[in-house]
Amino acid sequence: MKLGIVTPVLTLLPRAHARWEETATFDDVVVIVREAERLGYHHCTCSEHVAVPVEIAKVRGGRYYDPLATLGALGAVTSSIRFAAHVVVLGYHHPLALAKRYGTLDVVTGGRVILGVGVGSLREEFELLGAPFDDRGDRGDDAMRALRASLSQPEPEYHGEFFSFDGFLVDPCAVQARVPLWVGGRTFRSLRRAVELGDGWAPFGLSTDEMAAMLARAGRPERPFDVVLQSERPFDPLAEPAQVGDELHRFAEIGATAVNVRVMHHSRAHYCEQLAALKAVAPTE
């Protein structure tokens, strides 16, 4: 089972971040990601919001590093850990813009991109950016089809309900023959979207029982497909190694192929210690 980190500092969620993160710098992020790489972690994440209304930020958080710039900078100081944009909101971008930007990121990182996508839910941000909100689900499905046709093609062609293009060069394009598309979300619709159009499902904000029920209901596609689960609360492997090990084994039992790891921590050094402790109790492949 692959382990990735929900990268600290890059996002501050109310009542869910450590105090030290508020004044931490990007240098702290670099140290943590390089340590995760040394320990054998599979990927690190960075999520996307452009601008969050002040009142809503009190609930959803207001700090969101831009994933493209952030992951590009991390690519320059690492060599093997993969980079998961988790998630990019499909409605904020034309599919060819995503194909160009994340295709270029795939080139400069040596084929280490995982493109996590979602349809979004923050109406105020959609309106600010001039993006349609009410039909974002159908538009997102079409955008995923367009992305699959475009990400690794220098001269992509696609004709769908909302997006249609041919006769354009997108150079550079991704070096991976198939850039993994992970679908984020917390609804059964997001899982259906992942099974039908993606290469993995990466839910958040769900209990283990809820995720197990959804996975049992949806079934698994015959092609390679990642189930990337996340715990309801941060792990504390230094204090509760047996409990953390049991939860990771439970994830494996319900079909997880990867876990987006959050850990309890009170400093950069403590965070790195927790990553090492978690690796020691994680199920081996």
Side-chain angles (χ1 to χ4, degrees), residues 177-191:
R178 186 179 179 93
V179 175
L181 294 177
W182 288 356
V183 177
R186 53 184 302 173
T187 64
F188 186 70
R189 173 74 183 274
S190 70
L191 176 53

Side-chain angles (χ1 to χ4, degrees), residues 1-6 42-43 45 84 86 114 116 180-185 191 194 199-206 211 215 220 225-231 251 254-261:
M1 191 163 62
K2 299 170 287 196
L3 298 176
I5 64 169
V6 178
H42 177 259
H43 64 272
T45 68
H86 180 63
I114 299 165
L181 294 177
W182 288 356
V183 177
L191 176 53
D199 302 292
W201 183 50
F204 52 85
L206 296 172
M211 292 185 291
L215 289 166
R220 296 281 284 273
F225 186 82
D226 276 314
V227 176
V228 190
L229 303 187
Q230 183 171 304
S231 62
F251 281 174
I254 66 173
T257 63
V259 177
N260 280 333
V261 168

Side-chain angles (χ1 to χ4, degrees), residues 198-273:
D199 302 292
W201 183 50
F204 52 85
L206 296 172
S207 70
T208 303
D209 287 343
E210 287 173 324
M211 292 185 291
M214 288 187 187
L215 289 166
R217 177 183 170 194
R220 296 281 284 273
E222 306 234 344
R223 65 185 185 280
F225 186 82
D226 276 314
V227 176
V228 190
L229 303 187
Q230 183 171 304
S231 62
E232 288 185 89
R233 65 181 186 89
F235 293 128
D236 193 354
L238 286 170
E240 304 170 338
Q243 182 175 330
V244 171
D246 288 345
E247 188 162 358
L248 290 172
H249 278 282
R250 171 63 174 146
F251 281 174
E253 288 173 354
I254 66 173
T257 63
V259 177
N260 280 333
V261 168
R262 298 181 301 141
V263 295
M264 298 287 291
H265 56 95
H266 54 68
S267 68
R268 186 183 79 187
H270 186 225
Y271 187 97
C272 293
E273 292 169 0

Side-chain angles (χ1 to χ4, degrees), residues 6-8 14 21 39 76-77 90 93 109 126 131 134 137 141 148 162 166 196 215-216 222 251 255 263 272 276:
V6 178
T7 317
E21 292 182 75
L39 290 167
V77 295
L90 289 164
H93 313 274
T109 61
F126 274 81
D134 290 335
D141 290 349
R148 179 52 67 217
F162 297 99
D166 61 59
E196 293 172 9
L215 289 166
E222 306 234 344
F251 281 174
V263 295
C272 293

Side-chain angles (χ1 to χ4, degrees), residues 56-234:
I56 292 175
K58 296 175 183 178
V59 177
R60 299 181 63 152
R63 177 193 291 177
Y64 292 88
Y65 274 53
D66 178 75
L68 196 64
T70 302
L71 299 178
L74 290 171
V77 295
T78 58
S79 59
S80 60
I81 195 167
R82 301 195 69 172
F83 302 114
H86 180 63
V87 294
V88 171
V89 181
L90 289 164
Y92 298 168
H93 313 274
H94 190 282
L96 285 188
L98 290 176
K100 181 59 171 284
R101 293 165 186 161
Y102 285 91
T104 302
L105 181 63
D106 201 50
V107 171
V108 302
T109 61
R112 289 189 277 156
V113 168
I114 299 165
L115 185 52
V117 297
V119 299
S121 61
L122 188 52
R123 179 183 288 272
E124 293 88 344
E125 193 173 23
F126 274 81
E127 293 173 350
L128 174 70
L129 298 174
F133 181 80
D134 290 335
D135 60 352
R136 66 194 185 283
D138 291 338
R139 285 181 175 272
D141 290 349
D142 200 42
M144 286 191 67
R145 295 186 181 97
L147 274 170
R148 179 52 67 217
S150 307
L151 270 166
S152 305
Q153 301 296 326
E155 192 172 344
E157 179 176 349
Y158 178 76
H159 301 286
E161 181 180 1
F162 297 99
F163 303 101
S164 182
F165 46 81
D166 61 59
F168 289 90
L169 288 173
V170 180
D171 186 12
C173 63
V175 296
Q176 294 180 84
R178 186 179 179 93
V179 175
L181 294 177
W182 288 356
V183 177
R186 53 184 302 173
T187 64
F188 186 70
R189 173 74 183 274
S190 70
L191 176 53
R192 284 177 48 205
R193 179 174 290 113
V195 169
E196 293 172 9
L197 302 173
D199 302 292
W201 183 50
F204 52 85
L206 296 172
S207 70
T208 303
D209 287 343
E210 287 173 324
M211 292 185 291
M214 288 187 187
L215 289 166
R217 177 183 170 194
R220 296 281 284 273
E222 306 234 344
R223 65 185 185 280
F225 186 82
D226 276 314
V227 176
V228 190
L229 303 187
Q230 183 171 304
S231 62
E232 288 185 89
R233 65 181 186 89

